[in-house]
Amino acid sequence: MNQKPSNAFVAASWATLLTGMTAYLIGLWNADMLLNEKGYYFAILMFGLFSAISLQKSVRDQLEGIPVTNIYYGLSWFSTLLAIVLLTVGLWNADLLLSEKGFYGMSFLLSLFAAIAVQKNTRDSLVRELPAKHNGELYY
């Protein structure tokens, strides 16, 4: 069933991604921590978003019969889990209030989930549009 996502779901996915990322980044901006710590948490957010999108794409490619190497598929899973573990370890050892740790964890996971939803919506929309424009195999 390849159905184009509704405009409401697409808008909700983008709003959720922007809300999660904005909350995380505002919290990071206002945090009373050293610049290198802020850089660590920022890098984890960017790494996590990229790896979650990469994971969603490789899983979807496999489901649709598009070749994905086992190495890339495994690295996608590994990098997504690694981003979550790195954030967990960083927050565990951080000198922050428990409420702040929870805030960063929840906004991070919200952003990862929303990035996957946005990637899925983008892919579902392209699946419906591209076959009419092109003939032959499509890789995106």
Side-chain angles (χ1 to χ4, degrees):
M1 177 172 105
N2 284 340
Q3 179 176 312
K4 184 178 180 184
S6 69
N7 290 335
F9 185 66
V10 170
S13 298
W14 276 103
T16 304
L17 177 61
L18 293 175
T19 300
M21 286 180 61
T22 302
Y24 187 95
L25 294 173
I26 288 173
L28 201 56
W29 181 268
N30 292 321
D32 186 27
M33 61 177 73
L34 298 174
L35 190 57
N36 64 335
E37 290 177 280
K38 289 182 180 186
Y40 174 79
Y41 290 111
F42 178 74
I44 288 175
L45 177 65
M46 295 298 110
F47 175 57
L49 292 173
F50 178 79
S51 61
I53 290 169
S54 182
L55 175 61
Q56 195 281 337
K57 183 182 180 334
S58 63
V59 167
R60 182 77 177 261
D61 283 351
Q62 280 193 338
L63 289 174
E64 293 179 355
I66 298 172
V68 177
T69 64
N70 288 334
I71 292 173
Y72 186 79
Y73 183 74
L75 281 174
S76 297
W77 271 107
F78 177 75
S79 62
T80 302
L81 294 174
L82 180 62
I84 294 168
V85 167
L86 286 172
L87 181 76
T88 303
V89 169
L91 290 176
W92 184 273
N93 294 308
D95 192 23
L96 298 171
L97 296 173
L98 193 55
S99 59
E100 290 177 299
K101 292 179 182 185
F103 168 79
Y104 285 114
M106 292 306 294
S107 59
F108 180 79
L109 292 176
L110 177 69
S111 299
L112 290 188
F113 176 79
I116 291 169
V118 167
Q119 165 64 13
K120 180 196 174 303
N121 293 340
T122 302
R123 180 120 177 208
D124 288 346
S125 296
L126 288 175
V127 165
R128 302 273 303 176
E129 295 171 9
L130 288 179
K133 295 180 183 176
H134 305 284
N135 292 328
E137 280 189 58
L138 300 174
Y139 293 96
Y140 38 88

